[in-house]
Amino acid sequence: MDAIQQPTRAVTVLIVDDQLPFRAVARTVVGGEAESGEDAVAQVNAIRPDLVLMDINLPGINGIEATRQIRAAHPDVQIILLSTYSEADLPADAREVGALAYVHKEDFGPAVMRDLWPEAGA
């Protein structure tokens, strides 16, 4: 018996990182990008992505404050915080901004993405 194919839905993702090499690699997989916290807030307001991959260390407002602002204005947007911090060294407020999860950049990949955000595998 053939499996029933479920319709797939396009997912909009915004990458926010101040390091161009990381954004360049990520851009090959997704469409949107921003390089500062202020730019992230503006981009989310403009394109309303389903998911934001947010670096913590950014010029201007940091990723934690950008996450706070985005979640307040758009509670349906999911945000995964990314950084090179160990989890023990995360700023305390990183746990309280409403992000879906924190992932160390070295650990981030397709399997982690599917585990954290099931829509990624849809």
Side-chain angles (χ1 to χ4, degrees):
M1 178 174 211
D2 292 333
I4 297 174
Q5 291 290 327
Q6 296 294 325
T8 58
R9 140 181 118 74
V11 174
T12 306
V13 179
L14 176 68
I15 307 271
V16 184
D17 197 292
D18 60 334
Q19 297 176 4
L20 180 59
F22 182 81
R23 289 195 327 266
V25 170
R27 188 181 318 120
T28 65
V29 180
V30 297
E33 66 177 277
E35 66 180 336
S36 70
E38 292 86 354
D39 192 20
V41 172
Q43 289 286 339
V44 168
N45 288 333
I47 65 174
R48 302 279 169 88
D50 299 298
L51 176 68
V52 175
L53 303 177
M54 178 79 71
D55 186 21
I56 290 177
N57 287 320
L58 295 169
I61 63 171
N62 66 28
I64 295 168
E65 179 57 29
T67 297
R68 184 177 288 114
Q69 290 181 24
I70 291 166
R71 295 287 295 155
H74 307 284
D76 55 320
V77 173
Q78 297 298 316
I79 300 172
I80 297 174
L81 290 173
L82 299 166
S83 185
T84 56
Y85 286 121
S86 70
E87 193 159 353
D89 292 332
L90 277 176
D93 55 347
R95 300 180 204 313
E96 303 165 0
V97 295
L100 183 62
Y102 165 74
V103 177
H104 193 282
K105 284 183 179 179
E106 288 181 3
D107 298 330
F108 189 72
V112 169
M113 190 69 206
R114 281 189 299 276
D115 289 345
L116 293 175
W117 199 57
E119 288 87 349

